[in-house]
Amino acid sequence: MKKIDQDNSEFLDEMLDYWQSEGLLADADIQKLKDSYEPKTFDWRRLAQYSFWIAMACGVIALSALLVDKSLLDYIKNLYNTPNIVISAISALAAAGCYILGFRKKKTKPQDVFSNEAIIFSGVMLTANAIAYLGKAFNSSSNHFSLLIFVSVAIYLTLAYFCKSRLIWTFALLALGAWFGTETGYLSSWNWYFLGLNYPLRFVFFGIILTASSLLLRKHKQLSYFFDITYFAGLLYLFTSLLLLSIFGNYGTLEEWYPIKQITLFYWAIISAVICILSIIIGLKKNDAMLREFGIIFLFINLYTRYFEYFWDSLHKAIFFLILAISFVLIGRKAEKIWSGEFIKK
């Protein structure tokens, strides 16, 4: 008997009851199918997932706490004075060991999903440490450390491709965003503007390019495995940048932004809202759940942000949200009429 999640069990029960009421299946077949599965009494898989997530988060926090503890670092320095290149080499070897162990376990024990991913995650962190200390070993006065980040992107992408690891691909996309920000900063001599664009506006274009690239991945047989995570990352970069742009506009520093009135940036807010609405419409037409949900979530965030910016002191909260409620009721009624017309035609 197959044990399945409670939600899936309830869904199957509902569908089998419906098929039975419609006479699509015989009672004996219905009972036979119901006897072939049972709901899990406890979702151990989800507990394991959350436990490993918390463990990895605690590991990152522990490492961060170690790095900022000056007294502890001074004590460690007094114990030994290891060259940066040696630390880099040790980290690289440890990372290679984690990758080998993790991917070997994925083949021999594929059911240990989260422990395998935790080992690979350790390899990812050790790789970043190896590259960072390599950069310190060959430190130069150019401050062109974005090259090191680009090296990490290349390593992560290569490992993810050959090992079919979405986790490593995710870190590659994070590192790619970090490379883009630091590279444009370096090319602009660490000015707040690059080609007249501040950081949020730059990442709007970065998000568009990454989203478009994900659509190309979907058409490539060997790379389509990474389509979902790349599409999600591209949309996240895009919509987060649009939200920041609607708040700060194309201002590079807080000193420039503080004196201006938020109402003067309304056009950025309108652009952000229009893109959200277009995303919802396209998502509905193309049955693209991810695009639709990004549009809905960031449209609501946009509206709440505009309220705090424009109407917090001048308009009562009840009136503002009543206006929003009426607006969405009208939109819902219009959508309902369109859906009803299509339903009648069917």
Side-chain angles (χ1 to χ4, degrees):
M1 183 178 291
K2 177 72 173 176
K3 290 183 177 290
I4 60 176
D5 295 335
Q6 184 68 36
D7 294 340
N8 294 333
S9 176
E10 292 175 357
F11 172 74
L12 288 174
D13 287 341
E14 183 179 347
M15 293 307 301
L16 289 172
D17 291 339
Y18 171 74
W19 291 334
Q20 186 177 26
S21 64
E22 294 293 321
L24 299 175
L25 289 173
D27 293 345
D29 293 332
I30 293 290
Q31 190 58 46
K32 185 177 180 181
L33 289 171
K34 286 187 175 182
D35 291 340
S36 66
Y37 64 88
E38 65 177 0
K40 296 177 182 177
T41 55
F42 187 81
D43 196 344
W44 292 103
R45 184 179 186 278
R46 186 162 297 178
L47 176 62
Q49 180 182 15
Y50 291 160
S51 298
F52 280 110
W53 282 357
I54 294 171
M56 288 188 289
C58 290
V60 173
I61 294 171
L63 179 61
S64 302
L66 176 64
L67 293 176
V68 299
D69 191 335
K70 189 175 184 301
S71 59
L72 182 59
L73 290 176
D74 291 339
Y75 177 73
I76 294 174
K77 287 179 181 178
N78 291 331
L79 293 177
Y80 64 92
N81 188 21
T82 307
N84 292 323
I85 190 67
V86 174
I87 297 176
S88 176
I90 293 173
S91 298
L93 289 173
C98 288
Y99 291 133
I100 293 170
L101 178 61
F103 292 120
R104 184 175 293 172
K105 283 194 66 180
K106 284 183 74 173
K107 290 183 178 179
T108 58
K109 296 183 178 180
Q111 69 276 11
D112 297 341
V113 177
F114 304 113
S115 59
N116 296 340
E117 291 296 325
I119 295 171
I120 295 171
F121 175 80
S122 300
V124 169
M125 299 302 294
L126 286 167
T127 301
N129 192 64
I131 294 171
Y133 273 95
L134 182 65
K136 291 177 68 176
F138 297 99
N139 187 27
S140 65
S141 58
S142 66
N143 289 326
H144 199 182
F145 53 86
S146 58
L147 290 176
L148 292 172
I149 301 176
F150 186 76
V151 170
S152 70
V153 173
I155 292 173
Y156 289 150
L157 288 176
T158 303
L159 287 169
Y161 175 75
F162 286 106
C163 302
K164 295 294 182 183
S165 173
R166 285 194 175 99
L167 177 63
I168 300 179
W169 189 270
T170 300
F171 277 90
L173 297 177
L174 292 174
L176 185 62
W179 169 80
F180 176 78
T182 53
E183 181 66 16
T184 54
Y186 173 78
L187 292 176
S188 62
S189 300
W190 302 110
N191 193 295
W192 289 108
Y193 297 96
F194 173 72
L195 300 178
L197 312 176
N198 68 353
Y199 276 99
L201 190 51
R202 290 180 226 175
F203 273 92
V204 168
F205 292 102
F206 178 80
I208 292 172
I209 293 171
L210 188 58
T211 303
S213 300
S214 71
L215 299 177
L216 296 177
L217 292 181
R218 183 168 55 179
K219 298 178 181 179
H220 195 284
K221 184 178 180 180
Q222 294 179 320
L223 294 175
S224 59
Y225 181 73
F226 303 109
F227 162 71
D228 290 340
I229 189 65
T230 309
Y231 190 46
F232 178 86
L235 292 176
L236 185 62
Y237 275 119
L238 173 61
F239 281 94
T240 303
S241 301
L242 283 170
L243 178 63
L244 293 174
L245 194 62
S246 72
I247 298 172
F248 298 104
N250 193 26
Y251 289 96
T253 64
L254 292 176
E255 289 75 15
E256 292 178 314
W257 175 70
Y258 273 134
I260 60 102
K261 293 182 178 180
Q262 283 303 111
I263 194 68
T264 61
L265 302 177
F266 72 95
Y267 49 91
W268 291 116
I270 291 174
I271 291 172
S272 178
V274 168
I275 292 176
C276 289
I277 293 170
L278 287 175
S279 300
I280 296 170
I281 294 172
I282 295 172
L284 289 169
K285 286 187 175 181
K286 301 291 186 180
N287 196 26
D288 188 334
M290 191 180 298
L291 181 62
R292 181 182 67 241
E293 289 168 7
F294 261 97
I296 292 171
I297 291 170
F298 278 88
L299 178 60
F300 276 109
I301 295 174
N302 195 319
L303 292 172
Y304 288 136
T305 305
R306 301 294 79 77
Y307 169 71
F308 286 108
E309 284 182 339
Y310 305 150
F311 306 114
W312 182 255
D313 295 323
S314 59
L315 185 64
H316 195 281
K317 291 184 280 291
I319 297 175
F320 176 80
F321 287 106
L322 178 62
I323 294 171
L324 282 182
I326 294 172
S327 301
F328 281 103
V329 166
L330 294 175
I331 294 172
R333 286 292 299 158
K334 180 65 176 177
E336 185 180 41
K337 288 181 179 179
I338 294 173
W339 175 84
S340 299
E342 293 178 351
F343 181 80
I344 291 170
K345 287 179 182 178
K346 291 180 182 178

